[in-house]
Amino acid sequence: MHGTAQSGRGYGNEPDGLNDTITSAIAPAGIPQPGHRYRLPARQGRAVRLAAGQVLRLINTAGTQVCDLWAFNADDDTEHLSMEHLRTALGRITVREGDRLVTNRRRPILTVVRDTSPGVHDTLIAACDLHRYRQLGVAGYHDNCTDNLRMAMIAIGTPVRTVPAPLNVWMNTPVRADGGIAWLPTVARPGDVFELRADMACTVAMSACPQDIVPINGEGLTPADLNFEVV
Ligand SMILES: [Zn+2]
């Protein structure tokens, strides 16, 4: 049975709807098999537990797909990767190879150890959610990154109480000189790799963003699968 209501109850943070994410954990507790290539299906989310020192390799298989990504301290989910703290620590609004990405307690949680893509990522934009798709004119349910995070974490037995701002890997939403934000297709290429090393034991959740109205996932407006490995 679906565990949504039971697992999430009490946090006020239940998913607004469901997809296969909630029954598709990589393993019951989210512990990865090193070197195994996992599929992150288009429009879905997955969560993975990393020991300190392990490296998560995200692969943009199609080259057109954005990945929303979160990280939580394995021992205390009130500490998590934080975009506003990260921007302060880095002194800029995007991330590069070598950057140490910090939590809301200003401690490194992940380090970008490799990025073969052109390096265009976003730290500004909230995860898509049902409300966003309603505003874009969608009637009824639409898969969304916020629910994918909630479901992916329920699927491994640790529901989240909050939805922090995500690191939007490969999302091309630059800030223009006049302060405006452009919504552009990703400039990633097929097979591009983005690798993060865990600086503390943590849980990382990823969502293959289901956005198919605004062209961030390519001009074709067709969300695609991603792949990932832990090495
Ligand atoms: Zn999204």
Side-chain angles (χ1 to χ4, degrees), residues 54-113:
Q54 283 190 311
V55 171
L56 173 66
R57 175 180 298 149
L58 254 175
I59 303 146
N60 203 330
T61 312
T64 54
Q65 182 61 43
V66 166
C67 184
D68 287 38
L69 184 143
W70 299 262
F72 299 85
N73 178 336
D75 299 319
D76 176 3
D77 72 356
T78 66
E79 181 174 23
H80 53 76
L81 177 64
S82 169
M83 292 303 101
E84 55 266 47
H85 296 84
L86 171 156
R87 291 190 296 266
T88 305
L90 298 179
R92 52 184 145 76
I93 62 169
T94 189
V95 298
R96 299 175 186 160
E97 202 171 275
D99 284 348
R100 304 191 86 185
L101 312 184
V102 301
T103 69
N104 53 331
R105 290 178 205 155
R106 304 186 192 270
R107 302 196 301 161
I109 186 167
L110 296 168
T111 295
V112 181
V113 290

Side-chain angles (χ1 to χ4, degrees), residues 68 128 133 145 209-210:
D68 287 38
C128 64
Y133 291 105
C145 291
C209 181

Side-chain angles (χ1 to χ4, degrees), residues 66 68 126-129 133 144-146 168 207-211 216-217:
V66 166
D68 287 38
C128 64
D129 53 27
Y133 291 105
N144 63 84
C145 291
T146 297
N168 295 309
S207 171
C209 181
Q211 179 58 263
I216 58 166
N217 291 311

